[in-house]
Amino acid sequence: MMTRYDTNAIEPKWQKVWLDKGCFEASEESDKERFYALVEFPYPSGVGLHIGHPRPYTGMDVLARARRMQGYNVLFPIGWDAFGLPAENYAIKNNIHPAEVVRRNVERFRGQIRRLGLSFDPAREVNTTDPEYYKWTQWIFLKMVEKGLAYKAEMPVNWCPSCKCVLANEEVVGGLCERCEAPAEHRDKSQWMLRITRYAQRLLDDLELCDFPARVAAQQRNWIGRSEGAEILFPIAGTDETLRVYTTRPDTVFGATYMVISPEHPLVDKCPPKNAEEAAAYRAAAARKSDFERTELAKDKTGVRLEGISAVNPATGGEIPVYISDYVLMSYGTGAIMAVPGHDTRDWDFAKAFGLPIVEVVKGGDVTKEAYTDTETGTMVNSGFLNGLEVEDAKKAVAEWLEREGLGEPKVRYKLRDWVFARQRYWGEPIPIVHCPACGMVPLPEEDLPLRLPEVQNYKPSDTGESPLAAISEWVNTVCPRCGVPAKRETDTMPQWAGSSWYFLRYTDPNNPGEPASKEALRRWMPVDWYNGGMEHTTLHLLYSRFWHKFLYDVGVVEQPEPYKKRTSHGFILGSDGTKISKSKGNGMDPDEVVNTYGADTLRLTILFIGDFEKGCRWSEQIIKGCRRFLERVWAAAHSPFASSVPETKLHQTIQKVSGDIEGMKFNTAIAAMMSLLNEMEKGCSKADMLLFLRLLSPFAPHICEELWALLGGKGLCCEAGWPEHDPAKTVEDTVELAVQINGKLRGTVTVPRGCPDGEAAAAALQTEKIAAAAAGRSPDKTIVVPDRLVNLIFR
RNA sequence: GCGGACAUGGUGGAAUGGCAGACACGUUGGUCUUAGGAGCCAAUGGGCAACCGUCCGGGUUCAAGUCCCGGUGUCCGCACCA
């Protein structure tokens, strides 16, 4: 008598067994080959696990489970990236301490994750808000201070008026705060910065060492934004000042008919123009604009000429006017440009608006009509000693000339900016620095770490740009660790990205009290073999953590230059209406509800079967039913009387397909292959077939497989059984059906023995009725035979 | 503007240059049922057909969804980056 497939009974039962037996715990003793599979650890928010989590987790869980069955010693950990604004905001709103909020949320997340049957290592959780963890985050920061990689500087930064804290460049998306979408403002603030720019070239070069998807590597390359050019000095006529510009096209210097400096450029103060008031007004207006307004809205060129100021074009010797305009950014290059309106659309627009001369220096276009920018190649004109040279040669000639005359030098620039590494909020790692009136900034000694967050009553942010910690006088006021005089603590905290920049190292040795992780553990587990995560972190966490890892490599903590061998990225699941899933729209699903109704195994199958793992897809209620139906049929088949075996070929083909598809994250086609095999098995299969099938399915739908494995008397646990191996010889049939084409069009098929010689195949094809009729007694002019695939008969 | 990806039935999606539409959903018909929005069986790209079919137009090839050239459209990332 077949029992009902009752997921609510089966699933918790096996989850407990797995946990009690420690099935998912990585071993430090095992001499099996190791495999480190990593997913991005979640931010444990108040609303619990959401739709975004199960897909990457399940995908990597399939891989981790398959690897264990394949005999690897697998590290597949999870943790909690629990610092950050949402916990703090939630805490403020509900008047609960953030630490308590985190404790509750983590508990909920842990339970939800377990209910999905995810095989995360229960013995290696990390939590970025645990002082024993952030002690090491602080320790790494101090190492950076020591090496001059962390510094404090007064500079214009992005300020989110809604979050009330500064933002890193990477956190500003289209001029808006990445988190709350408020327009980011400019503020001049003294900030802790990390010198990620020092690693720009290595972060770029070492992409070679990383097996990243093309789009990830391209995006990082783009973000680092390397460009080659030159700096050229333009003297300011009648003064000792020079204007230093950066250009990628020094060869066009003869076409520079005016100059533009950014409104923030210091030259305006050094050389006051005659129209100082007008210039000041323009600068003030520019300062008021947000980045959003400056870059997104104001594409029309505006500016003010600095009257009485002119620069000397070192190539022509001619005097050219100088303008301030907000289309030139202080944050890139030198904040000043030589404008070559003939060959740059922005300069052309500006020149037209202000009636400035436009000179053609590369032949090809008509610069009176528009800027001619197709100048990768071409011949120089109107360019003195460069005339007649090809662009490529002109570049070399100009470079030599600049160096010879001391007028400039070749220069490599990056778009990458240093990383603003301070937040004016409570819920983050305190920056372990003391400001001493005598000694200046003094790092806390290592033995004073962790520097714990103080218990406070009010952790609301202020509008003044100061952290709430600044109001806790008993915490702020301390003594200088160096000289002992009264001093004040740094009150800013680290950004959310700090803890996640090295968490994958801590997993290798999560409870080590004396170092981030032991050398042995790091040697055993690093680098991460396979890291799956979201595209949205490509220029945030993924770049940041590569940077930290390189730093830790330089100071001898880790032994490899790159942390991740292989990176994959899952596509997002959108709502049934094609938009982002949200509870209020009711267009999606709640993982808990789906587990309650259909079971975790069905949910796991559904989110993998719904489409290509690496592409986005829409959620659909329909697919769930199909997956549940499939599991019902597996259940029924395992309870049916066994009979003769399924064809061996089918079995071995499926093993091969599923094994290969797991490696390629083609989970949808792996599941399709198993559905297809089940269709075959329903016609009759042996118990051995079923046991094999269960092993194949087990990484995808582990609970039902475990239950049926036990029912059928499988040895041990299904999740610990060996992974089935296919015999390549058994994946092929003895006979094959050849497609028969006439002039490339399919006209029939013919069955021949495998490996049948070309001549025989062609003869067999010609003997089939349809083909013989079409041939009408003629013999083909040409015959193409693709062994075991097709015969193409060509009649002219 | 720069960089990346993509375009296949009613739907989600499969196809190392070699039988397009695997696998599922849906639909239709049948069956079993007091009942069926459950299960099972069958059919299902279009067309009566010859044939025609993978966004559009060319090309390479015995053979193109797949490769090449030129368009169109969609999505993603970056962007007055000099």
Side-chain angles (χ1 to χ4, degrees):
Chain A
M1 180 62 198
M2 186 174 93
T3 49
R4 198 167 61 87
Y5 172 38
D6 179 1
T7 57
N8 289 321
I10 293 167
E11 295 182 345
K13 178 174 82 185
W14 291 108
Q15 285 155 12
K16 184 165 187 307
V17 170
W18 294 327
L19 198 65
D20 291 348
K21 296 201 171 195
C23 295
F24 307 140
E25 289 172 31
S27 163
E28 293 296 324
E29 275 88 47
S30 166
D31 51 10
K32 289 182 191 169
E33 196 176 335
R34 67 98 205 242
F35 187 79
Y36 187 172
L38 185 64
V39 293
E40 286 168 350
F41 62 164
Y43 172 78
S45 80
V47 294
L49 208 64
H50 70 79
I51 175 69
H53 298 115
R55 198 163 196 230
Y57 295 175
T58 309
M60 286 303 277
D61 190 53
V62 169
L63 184 71
R65 283 175 173 273
R67 280 285 186 278
R68 288 192 198 95
M69 294 173 77
Q70 287 160 354
Y72 288 83
N73 177 21
V74 172
L75 173 55
F76 183 45
I78 192 75
W80 320 105
D81 187 16
F83 271 131
L85 272 182
E88 183 169 335
N89 287 337
Y90 182 88
I92 291 167
K93 200 166 147 196
N94 299 285
N95 202 28
I96 314 169
H97 193 280
E100 174 58 18
V101 174
V102 165
R103 197 194 56 75
R104 288 183 201 176
N105 291 353
V106 161
E107 202 168 319
R108 177 153 176 220
F109 265 66
R110 195 185 286 127
Q112 288 183 304
I113 281 172
R114 188 164 303 154
R115 287 195 72 202
L116 293 174
L118 297 168
S119 66
F120 291 121
D121 191 329
R124 289 178 188 247
E125 274 184 25
V126 302
N127 184 331
T128 56
T129 64
D130 179 349
E132 290 309 307
Y133 179 90
Y134 70 69
K135 169 179 179 176
W136 299 107
T137 311
Q138 291 172 331
W139 180 85
I140 296 169
F141 175 82
L142 289 181
K143 279 272 171 217
M144 288 189 167
V145 172
E146 184 188 316
K147 301 289 176 190
L149 232 58
Y151 63 100
K152 200 167 189 183
E154 169 95 17
M155 57 165 57
V157 291
N158 304 294
W159 171 265
C160 175
S162 162
C163 297
K164 293 178 180 163
C165 71
V166 300
L167 301 173
N169 248 22
E170 289 79 5
E171 290 173 304
V172 181
V173 178
L176 306 178
C177 170
E178 176 236 15
R179 194 175 306 109
C180 69
E181 300 192 345
E185 295 171 0
H186 271 182
R187 277 200 186 185
D188 286 324
K189 267 188 76 71
S190 179
Q191 290 299 313
W192 278 99
M193 308 285 293
L194 296 187
R195 228 180 275 282
I196 189 172
T197 51
R198 192 180 282 179
Y199 283 75
Q201 191 61 48
R202 284 167 66 192
L203 287 167
L204 190 63
D205 291 342
D206 287 356
L207 283 170
E208 296 290 321
L209 309 176
C210 304
D211 179 6
F212 285 1
R215 54 184 174 157
V216 172
Q219 221 167 292
Q220 288 208 347
R221 216 171 275 130
N222 196 287
W223 188 259
I224 294 167
R226 183 187 167 118
S227 73
E228 285 179 31
E231 281 189 1
I232 305 181
L233 300 173
F234 284 67
I236 300 298
T239 71
D240 296 335
E241 294 294 330
T242 52
L243 202 46
R244 179 185 291 268
V245 304
Y246 174 70
T247 175
T248 53
R249 295 303 299 269
D251 52 307
T252 62
V253 65
F254 283 89
T257 53
Y258 65 98
M259 309 199 69
V260 185
I261 63 173
S262 152
E264 294 86 8
H265 199 284
L267 182 81
V268 193
D269 299 316
K270 283 188 197 156
C271 303
K274 287 180 189 155
N275 57 341
E277 267 179 41
E278 195 189 351
Y282 186 83
R283 297 176 92 190
R288 270 197 308 275
K289 285 187 195 171
S290 68
D291 258 4
F292 185 71
E293 290 169 309
R294 235 171 113 163
T295 62
E296 297 296 311
L297 303 177
K299 297 280 186 189
D300 286 339
K301 297 290 176 288
T302 61
V304 171
R305 177 168 180 173
L306 301 178
E307 302 286 352
I309 308 284
S310 59
V312 178
N313 182 324
T316 64
E319 288 196 12
I320 54 177
V322 179
Y323 287 79
I324 50 173
S325 172
D326 61 7
Y327 85 91
V328 172
L329 308 174
M330 197 58 217
S331 56
Y332 185 74
T334 60
I337 62 159
M338 63 174 206
V340 184
H343 305 283
D344 181 288
T345 46
R346 294 154 301 168
D347 296 345
W348 195 90
D349 291 346
F350 190 88
K352 275 287 162 191
F354 287 82
L356 292 156
I358 299 171
V359 176
E360 175 186 52
V361 289
V362 181
K363 226 157 60 179
D366 179 357
V367 299
T368 60
K369 294 214 176 73
E370 60 179 350
Y372 177 63
T373 56
D374 192 12
T375 51
E376 286 301 307
T377 58
T379 310
M380 307 306 297
V381 292
N382 300 322
S383 292
F385 68 93
L386 299 176
N387 278 336
L389 291 181
E390 289 300 306
V391 165
E392 199 182 321
D393 301 322
K395 281 184 179 170
K396 285 176 199 150
V398 166
E400 281 169 25
W401 168 71
L402 285 174
E403 296 213 71
R404 194 170 60 237
E405 304 288 327
L407 293 169
E409 55 184 352
K411 196 94 185 178
V412 172
R413 285 271 173 194
Y414 303 90
K415 282 195 239 173
L416 187 68
R417 299 270 79 83
D418 273 347
W419 174 7
V420 177
F421 196 71
R423 298 295 180 271
Q424 295 69 45
R425 298 292 298 232
Y426 171 77
W427 193 233
E429 299 88 345
I431 290 177
I433 295 284
V434 170
H435 298 276
C436 167
C439 314
M441 283 189 285
V442 181
L444 233 51
E446 187 178 328
E447 58 270 21
D448 287 355
L449 299 183
L451 171 61
R452 288 166 189 266
L453 276 170
E455 293 287 325
V456 296
Q457 296 303 311
N458 180 8
Y459 26 78
K460 283 186 193 177
S462 71
D463 291 306
T464 61
E466 267 197 313
S467 156
L469 291 178
I472 327 264
S473 58
E474 59 271 34
W475 188 79
V476 173
N477 293 309
T478 181
V479 292
C480 172
R482 195 171 291 161
C483 71
V485 305
K488 286 186 190 298
R489 290 191 193 282
E490 171 64 53
T491 57
D492 281 358
T493 53
M494 298 188 199
Q496 161 133 49
W497 312 104
S500 59
S501 290
W502 71 282
Y503 75 113
F504 46 90
L505 300 176
R506 188 66 176 173
Y507 282 141
T508 68
D509 194 7
N511 302 311
N512 193 323
E515 49 195 337
S518 75
K519 279 262 183 286
E520 299 72 50
L522 290 170
R523 201 167 293 140
R524 176 171 300 115
W525 295 109
M526 288 299 291
V528 173
D529 288 286
W530 193 324
Y531 190 16
N532 184 81
M535 279 306 291
E536 75 278 18
H537 288 132
T538 299
T539 54
L540 286 159
H541 159 68
L542 194 67
L543 190 64
Y544 291 153
S545 58
R546 287 185 61 217
F547 160 49
W548 276 44
H549 196 265
K550 287 197 178 302
F551 170 72
L552 292 172
Y553 174 69
D554 289 349
V555 296
V557 173
V558 297
E559 295 182 358
Q560 301 86 16
E562 284 289 333
Y564 319 118
K565 260 193 210 165
K566 179 186 173 92
R567 168 88 173 181
T568 52
S569 234
H570 55 280
F572 283 110
I573 298 184
L574 296 173
S576 43
D577 55 0
T579 64
K580 205 172 159 182
I581 286 184
S582 76
K583 277 213 168 119
S584 56
K585 276 192 274 184
N587 60 348
M589 61 102 162
D590 170 19
D592 273 331
E593 266 177 46
V594 178
V595 170
N596 290 340
T597 315
Y598 295 96
D601 285 338
T602 297
L603 176 59
R604 293 168 59 107
L605 277 180
T606 305
I607 58 183
L608 296 178
F609 186 61
I610 197 164
D612 187 326
F613 184 71
E614 306 202 337
K615 288 189 196 135
C617 56
R618 285 190 192 191
W619 180 248
S620 143
E621 276 302 316
Q622 314 298 345
I623 303 227
I624 299 191
K625 293 196 181 133
C627 289
R628 170 72 190 210
R629 203 175 286 166
F630 168 62
L631 292 180
E632 295 275 5
R633 283 166 47 208
V634 171
W635 185 263
H639 284 81
S640 303
F642 292 110
S644 57
S645 297
V646 291
E648 207 172 36
T649 319
K650 182 76 179 172
L651 216 51
H652 283 263
Q653 281 171 348
T654 310
I655 298 170
Q656 183 178 31
K657 177 76 179 150
V658 173
S659 307
D661 280 352
I662 289 174
E663 297 308 310
M665 300 207 124
K666 302 292 177 196
F667 303 119
N668 52 339
T669 49
I671 293 166
M674 289 186 283
M675 287 174 167
S676 179
L677 176 58
L678 181 68
N679 289 343
E680 204 68 39
M681 288 168 63
E682 283 173 333
K683 295 175 196 157
C685 74
S686 68
K687 188 169 167 182
D689 293 339
M690 180 53 75
L691 286 170
L692 189 147
F693 177 81
L694 291 175
R695 282 187 285 152
L696 273 187
L697 180 61
S698 152
F700 298 83
H703 310 88
I704 189 175
C705 291
E706 210 65 83
E707 179 74 16
L708 295 175
W709 183 263
L711 173 83
L712 299 179
K715 200 175 154 208
L717 289 170
C718 185
C719 72
E720 292 180 334
W723 185 251
E725 302 237 0
H726 75 279
D727 178 349
K730 290 182 179 165
T731 58
V732 291
E733 305 271 5
D734 294 339
T735 61
V736 288
E737 194 182 53
L738 299 183
V740 181
Q741 299 179 333
I742 294 178
N743 294 338
K745 288 189 198 291
L746 182 72
R747 286 294 177 267
T749 59
V750 61
T751 303
V752 298
R754 166 165 298 280
C756 157
D758 291 3
E760 285 175 32
L766 273 166
Q767 273 163 22
T768 61
E769 209 173 308
K770 243 180 143 175
I771 303 303
R778 292 182 299 157
S779 56
D781 297 293
K782 192 174 175 187
T783 305
I784 311 276
V785 180
V786 181
D788 298 336
R789 299 303 284 261
L790 61 67
V791 177
N792 190 4
L793 305 167
I794 315 299
F795 295 92
R796 295 217 172 81

